[in-house]
Each structure stands twice: as structure tokens, then as C-alpha cells.
Amino acid sequence: MSIRPQTYQERRRRLMASLPENTVAVFRTGSLCTRNNDCDYEFRPDSSFFYLCGFGEPDALLFIQADGHATLGVLPKDPERELWDGFRHGVEGAKATFGVDEAFELTEVDERALTLLDGVENVALLMHDKGLREQLWQWRDQLYRQKRQGKLPPDNFLDATDTLHEMRLIKDEEEIAIMEAAAQISVKAHEQAMRSVRPGQKEYQLEAELNYVFMQQGARHLAYNNIVATGANACVLHYISNDATIADGDLILIDAGCELGCYASDITRTFPANGKFSEPQAALYQLVLDAQYASIEKMRVGEPYEAFHNAAIETLTAGLVRLGLLQGDVAELIENKAYREFYMHNTGHWLGLDVHDCGRYKENSQSRTLQPGMVLTVEPGLYVAADNERVDPKWRGIGIRIEDDILIREDGPYVLTHGLAKEIDDIEALMSQHN
Ligand SMILES: [Mn+2]
């Protein structure tokens, strides 16, 4: 299960067909980042670069000409460096493995770039890549200085961001297969966390169970930092310290997903540390779950993007009134955004090579409509701050989110993260198989 070289070729051709004639598009993948002294963070290729060629080494540069002809600049083969830092594909390997038409060693980058840019009218790039923008300007200046020798510097710089992001937004069959596999590995990891948790454990000890399953199942990387939040820590939306002690009676919120072939999965589950929901925990949990089901119902072809968020808000607000956390008329409370005291984030985001994947949510300030091949998360939640004195003490410090990954298909929403318990009974049954 992987992306075929022909698919990358096809993407490059499609990109160039959407850009003006006589354009060269240039992308780069990024460099290693230092963590401390001589230790680097693991390298992860830029998502758009990877989408166009699948090459995973640092410092690489991709030129695509108008007809789709692709030239990849790569680090040279170097037995000494490879002995220390690991394998490099080099020029021959890059051509043979990734289906690019040409490759060169980065030591020749200036010469190659000047040849590729000479006589071209437009240069397309991801305009936010400041380093590349500056590099391209330097090459342009060099051509400009040689104008009287017959060189023709490019006239315009174009932003390829929108075109490329819209392509990435609609997933093809190969991408969907990888994303479902990633989702299913994450399902197994969450199941293991639910089965193995014990009060008294540190959050990071439970986190270790997730990471173990990810890697055992073939996913070497995380899509984002794991959130393992016990009790009121769940109310900190991007809690990542994961070093508190899990108490009997806590709810635990885990937001974690593996990355497979650079594709993200993104799952949140909330479950009781001792295996049994208390009454107030169960009441709020069931409300969030109802909101999630109502939301998924709206994840259909032709529905506006905002519909599933609105469905979640309606269910949550009505439920908060019913349980006594909000007082007043439901329609008015929605109008005044009163729910924001307990629900302050959106109900979903695009998912793909990036966990918060690219693609516009609105077009001409109108919510866009859902189309087949879009993948997005659905993640309603409720968070009652531990110091919220406006509500009955029994609700305080409860944070809940339930998140799944949804593929929009002609025949309706398809849950990529299928099979993972989320009904109260199913979670309690799974947790009773304690290991
Ligand atoms: Mn998410």
C-alpha cells in the first residue's frame, strides 16, 4: 500500500495544467532542525513537496516544467556521510525509485536552476516559503545581470498554494487506503490504552501504550503530539505535558493518532480511569456522543461545511439546558454563543498529509460544500472548568471530546476510524478486559 510513481507524475501534470503556460514550479522539502547541541529532530518532508514526488530526504528541491517534466535536486551519495547519518538515494536512486525525469546533486544547484529558469515567464512556488522565495530572487537577479548575453529572467512569481491545496483536499483511492490503514492502527492503540489504564499511573505511562502499539503495527511516527489528559487537564485543549498522576474517578481524554506514509490519523476518546462512568460523567459524555452522531449525519455530499458544526452546537446547547448547565431559550443561547463557555473549538478540520490539512473552508466568504474524497475529523466536546462556580460542583473539572475521521463518499459519510468503542456500554465492556 503506497502511492505509485505514476500517481506522482499525474499530480505534477495536473498541477502544471492548472497554472499559466510557460511556468516552472519549484518546491523544497526543508532541512533538519537542531534539538540541542548536535542532536536533530527527526526529519519530516514538507507535505506539499511530498505530495508531488514522495521523496523523503532533507534539503531536496523539485522543479516542474510546464509539460510536467520533473527535476529533483538531492544530496549526493557520500559513503562517509551515509556511514554516520544513513542511506541517501542519490541521483540514480532518486530517478529509479520516485519516477522523476531527471535528478542532480545539490552541489550543482545554481547552474541547474539558472538553466531551468532561463526563458521562463513565470515561477510558481508556495509563496509563504520565504527561504525559497529569496533563493529564487537571487537566481532571477543572476539571469537579469546576464540579459545582454541573451538570458531571459522570469517576469512573474506566482503563488501555487491555492491550486495545490485544492488538489490535496480531494483524496484519491491510494491516499484513502493509506489513511484508513493509519486510522485502524490508531484504533488499536486507543483500545490498548483503554484496556491497560490503571489509577495511580502517570499520564505518560499510559501514553507509552499508544506509542508501543503505533510502532508495533507499522507506524513509525506520530501525526502530532499525543494528548493524554486526566481529570481537569482535559479542559486544556492542547495539553501535552502528560505528566500528571491518574486518579481513581477521573475521566481520561486521549487525543492521539499515528502517521503512516506521511498521512495523519486523528482520534480522541474519553473514558473513566476506573472503568465505570459516574452519573454526571455519563450524562455529559452521552451528550457529546449525541452531538457527534448529529454532526456525522451532516457530513454528506452537497452539505455546506458549517452544517456539521451547527448540528453539534444545537445538540450540545439543548443538552446543556436540559442538564442545567445553561439556562434560557436554546435558540437565543445559540445566537449569543453561550455554549462557548463549555465548547470553544470547531467541530472538525480537514485531514490528510497534515493533521490540520490544507484547503479552504469558505469560498467567497460562504461555507463551501462537501465533496466526495474530502476527509475530515468530527470532534465535538464539552469542557467544564474546575473553577466554574456557576455550575453544580458535580460537573466541574469534566472534559470530554469524541473524535473520529470521516471520508465523504457519494453514499454518505464513511468512518475511517470504524470499530473503536464510543458507546458508554461498549467502552465499559472493553475496559473490563483489563490487561
Ligand atoms: Mn483533530
Side-chain angles (χ1 to χ4, degrees):
M1 183 181 17
S2 60
I3 308 288
R4 296 166 309 144
Q6 300 95 290
T7 303
Y8 292 116
Q9 282 164 4
E10 154 70 10
R11 289 175 185 170
R12 295 192 291 263
R13 273 198 297 271
R14 253 196 312 139
L15 170 69
M16 297 318 289
S18 319
L19 295 172
E21 281 175 35
N22 204 3
T23 297
V24 164
V26 188
F27 302 91
R28 64 173 192 170
T29 188
S31 301
L32 282 167
C33 285
T34 303
R35 181 175 183 274
N36 58 301
N37 191 21
D38 57 353
C39 299
D40 295 322
Y41 285 105
E42 278 174 303
F43 181 72
R44 160 62 157 78
D46 172 78
S47 297
S48 287
F49 175 92
F50 190 83
Y51 178 81
L52 290 168
C53 67
F55 188 68
E57 291 178 28
D59 297 327
L61 203 57
L62 176 68
F63 294 82
I64 313 173
Q65 289 165 280
D67 60 356
H69 187 98
T71 307
L72 190 61
V74 302
L75 292 169
K77 290 296 283 180
D78 180 338
E80 168 78 5
R81 285 303 348 144
E82 291 183 56
L83 177 68
W84 285 89
D85 302 333
F87 175 76
R88 291 178 181 180
H89 282 88
V91 165
E92 291 312 314
K95 272 199 296 194
T97 313
F98 299 96
V100 290
D101 302 287
E102 259 178 90
F104 65 86
E105 296 187 349
L106 284 168
T107 42
E108 314 164 5
V109 66
D110 289 329
E111 192 188 322
R112 290 295 192 128
L114 293 173
T115 308
L116 283 159
L117 297 175
D118 185 11
V120 170
E121 207 173 310
N122 313 298
V123 181
L125 71 152
L126 301 176
M127 211 58 104
H128 62 262
D129 185 347
K130 187 160 172 275
L132 179 60
R133 216 165 61 206
E134 282 166 4
Q135 175 67 79
L136 286 165
W137 262 109
Q138 281 177 23
W139 286 325
R140 187 195 175 277
D141 281 350
Q142 284 184 47
L143 288 171
Y144 184 81
R145 283 195 294 275
Q146 298 173 54
K147 236 180 149 174
R148 286 193 295 177
Q149 278 73 47
K151 300 289 187 194
L152 289 169
D155 287 328
N156 312 304
F157 278 30
L158 307 177
D159 192 3
T161 305
D162 244 20
T163 310
L164 193 60
H165 282 188
E166 287 299 301
M167 285 173 64
R168 280 177 52 191
L169 178 58
I170 306 297
K171 275 71 181 173
D172 64 30
E173 294 298 321
E174 290 172 309
E175 294 179 287
I176 289 165
I178 298 172
M179 291 188 74
E180 185 162 11
Q184 287 303 307
I185 291 173
S186 296
V187 164
K188 290 196 175 77
H190 278 261
E191 285 173 345
Q192 174 58 18
M194 287 188 216
R195 275 196 300 258
S196 68
V197 62
R198 343 181 128 57
Q201 235 180 350
K202 291 286 189 185
E203 292 164 334
Y204 58 76
Q205 291 174 316
L206 185 55
E207 182 183 11
E209 301 281 346
L210 297 164
N211 292 346
Y212 180 81
V213 176
F214 290 157
M215 290 197 200
Q216 282 296 332
Q217 297 290 321
R220 173 73 180 82
H221 302 288
L222 307 179
Y224 54 95
N225 292 325
N226 296 324
I227 297 172
V228 180
T230 197
N233 292 341
C235 300
V236 180
L237 295 180
H238 292 154
Y239 177 82
I240 50 164
S241 32
N242 298 356
D243 57 358
T245 303
I246 295 168
D248 198 338
D250 278 358
L251 280 183
I252 301 165
L253 182 153
I254 294 184
D255 185 343
C258 69
E259 181 182 84
L260 188 68
C262 286
Y263 283 86
S265 56
D266 186 1
I267 300 181
T268 308
R269 283 294 184 272
T270 310
F271 52 93
N274 60 18
K276 195 98 185 89
F277 285 87
S278 73
E279 235 174 86
Q281 287 169 350
L284 284 183
Y285 184 91
Q286 189 60 49
L287 176 52
V288 175
L289 186 57
D290 291 345
Q292 205 217 27
Y293 288 137
S295 206
I296 293 173
E297 251 327 287
K298 296 289 181 189
M299 293 185 148
R300 294 179 183 277
V301 174
E303 285 283 352
Y305 182 84
E306 65 195 352
F308 69 86
H309 180 55
N310 291 339
I313 285 170
E314 281 160 27
T315 306
L316 291 173
T317 306
L320 288 167
V321 170
R322 184 161 35 80
L323 296 173
L325 286 95
L326 287 176
Q327 292 81 33
D329 174 62
V330 172
E332 229 167 82
L333 291 166
I334 291 172
E335 177 69 28
N336 302 334
K337 302 190 192 307
Y339 55 84
R340 283 209 176 160
E341 181 179 354
F342 307 106
Y343 183 47
M344 57 299 278
H345 60 75
N346 270 315
T347 308
H349 51 81
W350 305 130
L351 184 72
L353 286 165
D354 292 310
V355 63
H356 297 146
D357 207 34
C358 57
R360 289 186 301 266
Y361 292 110
K362 290 189 169 187
E363 279 171 330
N364 306 320
S365 68
Q366 294 287 315
S367 192
R368 77 186 300 161
T369 57
L370 297 179
Q371 300 300 326
M374 290 175 168
V375 177
L376 62 168
T377 67
V378 55
E379 49 179 309
L382 282 175
Y383 313 90
V384 188
D387 61 357
N388 187 332
E389 295 192 347
R390 240 187 27 74
V391 301
D392 190 309
K394 67 179 177 181
W395 306 119
R396 294 178 198 165
I398 296 180
I400 295 162
R401 180 163 64 254
I402 307 169
E403 176 177 32
D404 284 294
D405 303 342
I406 309 290
L407 165 67
I408 306 297
R409 294 203 312 204
E410 287 289 0
D411 59 354
Y414 178 73
V415 183
L416 294 169
T417 45
H418 54 80
L420 179 56
K422 60 183 168 185
E423 291 286 340
I424 289 175
D425 289 349
D426 294 340
I427 288 178
E428 290 182 348
L430 179 67
M431 294 186 71
S432 70
Q433 308 160 17
H434 207 278
N435 65 14

